[in-house]
């Protein structure tokens, strides 16, 4: 079984269509294709562009590393709604907050809804 932890999945039509440029940058990484309904069943939600990538997440920095040199820090405790997490990250960026800390009971800031609401500032 191939390691799918860094593998793109996409609709068959994207091999030569919208995803061709992204796929070209994948080098020797295999790209798996499927029909839209199969990808929907696999992920549990409709892919807005019909492309998906699974990859390793880097090791999270320690609280000390995140706070080193930070003057203003936002702490989120038990914020379980990904929309709220995304909005807080976007607001923190607008207010020039240096760091954002989340307790383990918070929603994942890399959940697709949090990313969308934050307009990518969670990265």
């Amino acid at each position: 079984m191939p390691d799918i932890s860094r593998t793109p999945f996409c609709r068959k039509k994207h091999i030569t269509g919208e995803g061709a440029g992204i796929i070209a940058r994948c080098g020797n990484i295999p790209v798996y294709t499927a029909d839209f309904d199969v990808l929907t069943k696999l992920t549990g939600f409709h892919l807005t562009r019909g492309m998906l990538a699974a990859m390793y997440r880097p090791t999270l920095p320690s609280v000390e590393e995140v706070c080193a040199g930070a003057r203003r820090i936002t702490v989120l405790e038990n914020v379980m709604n990904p929309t709220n997490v995304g909005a807080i990250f976007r607001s923190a960026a607008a207010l020039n907050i240096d760091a954002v800390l989340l307790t383990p009971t918070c929603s994942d800031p890399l959940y697709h809804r949090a990313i969308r609401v934050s307009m990518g500032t969670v990265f």
Side-chain angles (χ1 to χ4, degrees), residues 63 66-76 96-101:
V63 172
V66 171
C67 296
R71 293 180 49 174
R72 296 189 300 165
I73 301 166
T74 296
V75 179
L76 306 183
N96 293 316
I97 299 296
D98 299 312
V100 178
L101 297 174

Side-chain angles (χ1 to χ4, degrees), residues 81-101:
N81 185 310
T83 300
N84 292 341
V85 170
I88 293 167
F89 266 85
R90 190 177 71 230
S91 298
L95 296 169
N96 293 316
I97 299 296
D98 299 312
V100 178
L101 297 174

Side-chain angles (χ1 to χ4, degrees), residues 9-84:
F9 298 88
C10 67
R11 293 177 67 182
K12 292 177 184 176
K13 70 178 191 173
H14 291 314
I15 293 292
T16 57
E18 293 180 34
I22 296 169
I23 292 168
R25 293 191 309 237
C26 289
N28 293 328
I29 296 173
V31 176
Y32 296 98
T33 63
D35 292 325
F36 186 75
D37 61 328
V38 174
L39 291 173
T40 300
K41 288 178 185 175
L42 179 68
T43 62
F45 60 92
H46 295 287
L47 301 171
T48 57
R49 298 281 184 216
M51 297 191 76
L52 168 71
M55 61 197 70
Y56 289 114
R57 285 190 181 192
T59 303
L60 292 175
S62 68
V63 172
E64 292 80 9
E65 291 171 311
V66 171
C67 296
R71 293 180 49 174
R72 296 189 300 165
I73 301 166
T74 296
V75 179
L76 306 183
E77 183 176 8
N78 302 332
V79 181
M80 295 181 239
N81 185 310
T83 300
N84 292 341

